[in-house]
Amino acid sequence: MAPDDISRGEADKLRRLAEEARVTRTFEVIADRGALWVWGDEDEILFTEDAARRTLLPIWPHATVARLENEGEVDGERAIRIAADVFLKEWLPQLEEDDADIAIFPVEDQHAAVLTRAEFRARMTAALRLN
C-alpha cells in the first residue's frame, strides 16, 4: 500500500473542492511532484465507464485521495504511483490503443473532468513547463 502523502484532513479538503478547482489542483500537484496516482493491483488498473459508455482511467493527484475513494472495495488493490513523464510517453499511447479517456480526480463517482488523451497531454505539458 502506498503511504499517505497528505493528511486525511487535507485530502478531505481537496475532495470538497469544486470540479474545476480539483482539475486545476490535480495538474499543479502532478507538475510539482512529477507523478500521478491510479488504482489497481499488480495485475490490472481500475478503469470505469461513464453514462456514454466511454472507457475512463481515473487519476488522482495524491495516493491518499485515491485511497479514500477506493479502499476496501477489492482486496489487494492500492494506489499506484506513475511518474508524469512515463504516463505521457507510455500510458497515453496505450490509452489510445484502448480507446480510453481520463477521468480527473473522481470523488464519489463524480469526475472533476473527463479529458481526451490530447487534452490531457496539452494540459500536462503546459503544467510541467510552468513548474
Side-chain angles (χ1 to χ4, degrees):
M1 172 165 40
D4 284 346
D5 50 357
I6 58 173
S7 71
R8 288 194 180 243
E10 187 176 350
D12 282 333
K13 285 180 189 174
L14 291 174
R15 292 172 72 222
R16 289 191 298 269
L17 291 174
E19 291 177 357
E20 186 53 40
R22 289 199 327 264
V23 171
T24 299
R25 189 68 186 132
T26 296
F27 284 102
E28 290 170 351
V29 171
I30 294 170
D32 181 54
R33 296 188 177 202
L36 56 87
W37 296 86
V38 297
W39 192 259
D41 61 24
E42 58 277 345
D43 295 322
E44 61 185 55
I45 298 301
L46 170 75
F47 283 83
T48 62
E49 272 189 358
D50 65 5
R53 300 188 52 88
R54 289 181 297 181
T55 301
L56 303 173
L57 174 67
I59 67 159
W60 292 270
H62 297 285
T64 305
V65 291
R67 190 174 313 107
L68 289 173
E69 290 304 313
N70 296 289
E71 196 168 55
E73 292 189 21
V74 177
D75 285 343
E77 290 187 345
R78 66 192 186 290
I80 299 169
R81 183 184 185 277
I82 309 296
D85 62 333
V86 170
F87 191 85
L88 291 171
K89 291 176 189 168
E90 297 176 18
W91 284 61
L92 284 182
Q94 182 61 50
L95 290 175
E96 177 128 13
E97 287 181 26
D98 296 337
D99 194 28
D101 290 323
I102 301 164
I104 307 294
F105 201 152
V107 172
E108 298 173 4
D109 296 327
Q110 297 296 313
H111 312 302
V114 172
L115 301 179
T116 66
R117 297 164 305 276
E119 290 168 332
F120 183 88
R121 180 181 300 282
R123 288 197 67 171
M124 190 71 257
T125 302
L128 290 169
R129 276 192 209 120
L130 291 174
N131 192 19

